[in-house]
Amino acid sequence: MPWTTTRRKRYHAWTVLLLVFSLVMPPVALGDLESFEGRRIDAIEFEGNRTLAEETLLYYLGVEVGQTLDQKALNDAVRSLWETRLLDDLSIDAEASGDDGVKLVIHVVERPVMRSIDYVGLKRVSRTDIEERIAADRIQIFEGDTVRRGELRRLEAAIESLYREKGYRFADARYDLEEVSPNERRVVFTIDEGNRVRIDDIAFEGNTVYNDWRLRLAMTKTKQSGILWSTLKKDIYNPAKLQEDLEKVRKVYLEDGYKNVTIGEPIIEVRATKPNAATPEAQKRRMFITVPIEEGERWKFGEVTIEGNEKYSDQQLLRAFENRTGDWLRSKKIDDGLKAVEEIYKNTGFIGARITPELVERADRTADLIVHVDEGDQFRVGRITFKGNTRTRDKVLRRELRVQEGYLLSLRAIQNSLLKI
């Protein structure tokens, strides 16, 4: 709010607050102060400060009796004072004093200190869960710090998110400030957990190769409501678990040659199965999930080529893909072949070898596989020592080892050695 054009000028700092939240903080507009600009400050009065000393406020505002009034300097000083988060509101009255003087009356509303934070109504979510979410989301709420209403609203949303993850889609969290002393507040969050919403139906759109029943079967953590799944709590919506299950649905297609399948963003709806009932509990609200799918075309497995290999020949590595080409492009065949190539290297000292696949499409819906090999360095076994063996001597343990010092390092031999020991 700019300064008025009347003799009594007033500036409200709540406009600055709005600018702070918008993350754009231009200089505070003092407006028309031509009649006071350059005048001598004859007096400064404060109203509303309880714990903040006048000397502290004067320090931040940078004004004192005897100075001349500088609009720009006062603008910058008000912004600096606001950034300290010590105040909830600030306004300045400027009045003529004598022939060429001005009197400033500075009204402040101090921001209270948060003495404690409590929760009422927590049942399905623990205080520890909330504290972990505060740390994960970096919500700036600390006992003994000033009350930050923006951060308290962030915590409201975080608490409601925790409940949604547990199936309580209609949980509501609200905070209140209770006065402990004139400048101290107790923050109390009141939580209405609401009812847990169960998944009534999981449907798919765009699927023609597999029906809904087959795709739902691939989902292991998200199920439609039923006696068994309700008991195991798998009919409770959890976004992370649903995404895991949709990846399993995608693998169903990949394992049958549909390499370009796309699983769209699920559409979540909550509807009342008895909408005319008097209470939300009686309405029996249920969740309906619709998953859009673009299956794409089915591809065949083309030729396999190896690039970047020096230690082993193409012929040696291509054995991992024997009898795989010409069939449908099944992801399991590719994964098994890549794993076999990787084991060849990691069992002969190339423990840092990286095997990267690349599919190249041809016009006849056939995809060729290029296997990129980064062999890295070859390692041998150095010194072998044992720690923690107080009852069995080293030489007894060494008899069970499938690796020996000086020989090429083999990850499979190390695993077998650990099993033997």
Side-chain angles (χ1 to χ4, degrees):
M1 180 181 295
W3 291 73
T4 63
T5 56
T6 60
R7 184 179 179 86
R8 184 178 176 86
K9 317 295 183 181
R10 188 174 181 85
Y11 169 75
H12 288 283
W14 60 267
T15 56
V16 183
L17 179 60
L18 294 178
L19 293 173
V20 171
F21 282 128
S22 67
L23 300 181
V24 179
M25 180 78 110
V28 181
L30 293 180
D32 297 329
L33 266 182
E34 289 81 0
S35 57
F36 294 128
E37 174 70 16
R39 284 196 179 190
R40 183 186 67 255
I41 300 175
D42 288 339
I44 302 173
E45 293 182 4
F46 287 93
E47 293 183 359
N49 55 312
R50 296 179 178 179
T51 60
L52 286 174
E54 293 184 2
E55 291 78 6
T56 301
L57 295 171
L58 287 172
Y59 169 79
Y60 281 106
L61 292 175
V63 293
E64 60 182 28
V65 174
Q67 279 184 337
T68 56
L69 183 60
D70 184 330
Q71 296 182 56
K72 183 178 184 304
L74 184 58
N75 177 69
D76 295 338
V78 167
R79 180 168 60 181
S80 297
L81 177 57
W82 194 260
E83 289 174 350
T84 64
R85 298 192 181 99
L86 296 173
L87 302 178
D88 266 346
D89 195 13
L90 169 67
S91 61
I92 302 175
D93 291 335
E95 303 174 359
S97 174
D99 294 333
D100 58 354
V102 62
K103 174 185 176 182
L104 299 180
V105 181
I106 302 171
H107 307 271
V108 298
V109 177
E110 296 179 358
R111 182 170 296 184
V113 173
M114 187 175 70
R115 182 51 51 206
S116 63
I117 180 169
D118 294 303
Y119 304 92
V120 177
L122 287 182
K123 295 178 182 177
R124 307 297 180 180
V125 170
S126 68
R127 188 178 182 118
T128 301
D129 294 333
I130 295 175
E131 290 172 352
E132 290 176 352
R133 181 58 62 90
I134 289 174
D137 292 352
R138 297 182 180 180
I139 300 175
Q140 302 299 309
I141 291 181
F142 308 100
E143 293 182 355
D145 195 4
T146 55
V147 173
R148 305 185 189 183
R149 288 177 172 80
E151 296 300 295
L152 291 175
R153 286 191 287 273
R154 286 186 63 200
L155 182 52
E156 283 180 344
I159 293 173
E160 292 174 356
S161 176
L162 280 171
Y163 274 96
R164 284 196 297 272
E165 292 171 6
K166 293 181 177 291
Y168 293 87
R169 301 286 291 177
F170 298 99
D172 181 73
R174 290 291 181 268
Y175 78 86
D176 291 307
L177 298 177
E178 297 181 356
E179 185 172 333
V180 178
S181 68
N183 197 46
E184 293 182 321
R185 298 293 184 271
R186 174 174 173 256
V187 181
V188 180
F189 279 88
T190 303
I191 293 94
D192 179 6
E193 296 184 330
N195 293 326
R196 177 176 279 181
V197 180
R198 297 185 180 275
I199 300 172
D200 189 275
D201 181 65
I202 302 174
F204 297 86
E205 287 185 350
N207 53 311
T208 58
V209 178
Y210 300 104
N211 59 28
D212 287 12
W213 179 86
R214 174 64 184 87
L215 298 180
R216 284 195 294 262
L217 184 64
M219 303 171 68
T220 59
K221 297 183 178 180
T222 308
K223 295 291 186 179
Q224 295 180 163
S225 188
I227 296 177
L228 175 61
W229 304 130
S230 295
T231 303
L232 297 176
K233 299 181 180 180
K234 291 191 176 183
D235 61 345
I236 303 301
Y237 172 70
N238 183 302
K241 291 181 179 179
L242 177 59
Q243 289 303 320
E244 290 181 27
D245 278 339
L246 293 183
E247 184 60 28
K248 294 172 184 175
V249 171
R250 183 171 177 270
K251 287 182 178 179
V252 170
Y253 282 93
L254 294 178
E255 290 173 0
D256 213 10
Y258 295 89
K259 74 179 188 67
N260 295 327
V261 62
T262 301
I263 308 296
E265 188 67 24
I267 301 170
I268 310 295
E269 293 182 274
V270 176
R271 301 197 295 265
T273 57
K274 297 181 179 180
N276 297 324
T279 64
E281 292 80 2
Q283 290 176 359
K284 293 186 177 180
R285 291 175 293 196
R286 293 292 184 267
M287 179 177 291
F288 297 81
I289 300 176
T290 304
V291 182
I293 295 179
E294 293 183 13
E295 295 175 326
E297 297 178 326
R298 197 179 190 189
W299 291 74
K300 287 191 174 181
F301 201 152
E303 301 296 326
V304 182
T305 56
I306 311 291
E307 293 185 357
N309 52 310
E310 296 179 4
K311 177 65 176 179
Y312 295 100
S313 66
D314 290 1
Q315 185 178 5
Q316 288 174 299
L317 299 180
L318 286 174
R319 292 195 188 103
F321 298 93
E322 284 181 350
N323 302 322
R324 288 178 168 85
T325 60
D327 195 359
W328 295 113
L329 186 67
R330 304 182 190 277
S331 60
K332 187 176 186 303
K333 291 186 175 183
I334 298 176
D335 293 340
D336 289 348
L338 295 174
K339 184 178 179 181
V341 172
E342 186 177 42
E343 287 183 350
I344 290 173
Y345 278 98
K346 295 197 173 183
N347 291 327
T348 55
F350 295 93
I351 59 174
R354 291 184 298 173
I355 313 299
T356 308
E358 178 187 0
L359 288 174
V360 180
E361 298 179 354
R362 296 207 308 243
D364 57 350
R365 290 204 301 275
T366 299
D368 295 330
L369 174 64
I370 302 176
V371 180
H372 298 278
V373 178
D374 181 4
E375 295 180 334
D377 296 325
Q378 191 174 34
F379 292 87
R380 293 181 178 274
V381 179
R383 184 178 179 183
I384 300 175
T385 59
F386 298 88
K387 291 184 179 180
N389 52 318
T390 57
R391 297 188 178 183
T392 307
R393 294 183 178 182
D394 286 8
K395 64 178 182 180
V396 176
L397 297 176
R398 283 180 182 277
R399 289 201 297 263
E400 305 301 327
L401 293 180
R402 296 298 178 263
V403 291
Q404 297 182 22
E405 295 170 346
Y407 283 71
L408 290 176
L409 181 60
S410 168
L411 294 185
R412 181 187 298 168
I414 292 175
Q415 294 170 352
N416 291 338
S417 298
L418 293 176
L419 290 174
K420 293 288 291 182
I421 291 175

